Amino acid sequence: NPNKLVGYAYKWQDETAETLLLKIEWSASRTGLLNPVAVFEPVELEGTTVTRASLSNVTNVKRLQLRPGNRITVYKANKIIPQVDANLDMDGVLTYAESHPVFCPCCGKETIPVISKESVEVAVCENPECSAKHIKKFVHFASRDCLDIAGFSDATIEKFVNHGFIKEFADFFTLPWYKDEIIKMEGFGEKSFENLSAAAKAASHTTPSRLLYGLGIPNIGAANARMIAEACENKW
């Protein structure tokens, strides 16, 4: 029928590359969730060199039966996010120690397997004193989407937490108490301290939604924080 319109949708095929899996690296998050990352030999994808790809959870590690030394194929989802596509050397179900981080890489405490609300298996560190939980929550608080405190890199926050300068969120704004100690630290000085203090002072004037999101309350993401702030008419 010449009067009938027919539509076709075309999808570009993702560019894939074969490489060698070197290891699975686990990192602890501020919530205690341990995130697996595939580390592999460098490959070129979509014009850039790629060496790492998030695996998201234990379920994916087990599904792909990933072991160091396996030949894998990788691609960029939406031409941006590196992902493991397939394992070319799948050779049997993984043992618990192969698919899970038995001990937290940060505090050394034993981890536990948990089924998340998305029905996938994840590994969790339940130690409330795990340093990663403290450092990551402060990194989140200072990040661009939250209070956006310029100059506070992950490494800087880790140093300040380990030295006891930052123990709670409010400590970002009381750093002058530790000025003498900070300016003597390696990589810091009078100018660096002034820049950090000025950035913290500027960030102290923020919005309710940014502050709420920055507190890292479970299930309160950026969108929910905005909705709650708007429902409260953005009043403090």
Side-chain angles (χ1 to χ4, degrees):
N1 185 345
N3 296 320
K4 184 178 181 180
L5 297 178
V6 179
Y8 295 93
Y10 294 92
K11 180 180 179 181
W12 293 105
Q13 183 175 357
D14 290 317
E15 177 186 350
T16 62
E18 182 179 327
T19 184
L20 187 71
L21 178 66
L22 301 177
K23 62 179 179 179
I24 295 177
E25 187 176 277
W26 296 85
S27 62
S29 72
R30 59 190 175 86
T31 61
L33 184 69
L34 298 177
N35 303 307
V37 174
V39 181
F40 43 81
E41 290 187 344
V43 289
E44 293 293 320
L45 279 177
E46 308 292 348
T48 62
T49 301
V50 179
T51 60
R52 302 164 64 87
S54 173
L55 294 167
S56 300
N57 50 59
V58 171
T59 295
N60 281 335
V61 177
K62 294 170 71 172
R63 176 179 60 82
L64 292 165
Q65 297 179 14
L66 293 170
R67 292 181 173 90
N70 287 161
R71 292 176 301 122
I72 60 174
T73 56
V74 296
Y75 71 102
K76 280 187 176 181
N78 298 319
K79 298 188 180 295
I80 298 174
I81 304 172
Q83 300 283 318
V84 175
D85 179 51
N87 182 358
L88 305 179
D89 295 326
M90 295 178 70
D91 57 0
V93 177
L94 301 179
T95 65
Y96 181 85
E98 288 177 318
S99 61
H100 297 72
V102 179
F103 300 101
C104 174
C106 288
C107 68
K109 297 294 185 180
E110 193 169 350
T111 66
I112 63 168
V114 173
I115 302 299
S116 73
K117 62 182 180 181
E118 290 82 17
S119 299
V120 297
E121 187 175 357
V122 296
V124 174
C125 172
E126 290 192 310
N127 178 17
E129 301 305 318
C130 178
S131 59
K133 293 182 181 180
H134 294 291
I135 292 170
K136 294 294 179 65
K137 76 177 183 181
F138 292 130
V139 168
H140 174 73
F141 183 77
S143 68
R144 181 175 297 178
D145 291 335
C146 297
L147 268 72
D148 192 17
I149 311 178
F152 279 87
S153 66
D154 294 22
T156 295
I157 291 175
E158 183 172 357
K159 287 180 181 179
F160 284 9
V161 170
N162 290 340
H163 280 77
F165 304 152
I166 296 177
K167 297 177 181 178
E168 56 187 38
F169 297 128
D171 291 339
F172 278 95
F173 312 108
T174 59
L175 290 178
W177 294 355
Y178 306 102
K179 178 179 178 180
D180 293 342
E181 293 96 323
I182 292 174
I183 62 177
K184 293 176 183 177
M185 293 172 62
E186 183 179 354
F188 292 87
E190 189 82 31
K191 185 62 176 177
S192 296
F193 174 80
E194 290 176 358
N195 290 340
L196 290 174
S197 295
K201 184 176 181 179
S204 66
H205 301 280
T206 188
T207 63
S209 61
R210 279 179 173 268
L211 177 60
L212 185 59
Y213 179 39
L215 295 178
I217 302 170
N219 300 319
I220 303 296
N224 283 344
R226 286 194 296 270
M227 291 173 61
I228 292 171
E230 289 171 1
C232 296
E233 298 180 349
N234 284 298
K235 295 179 180 179
W236 295 99

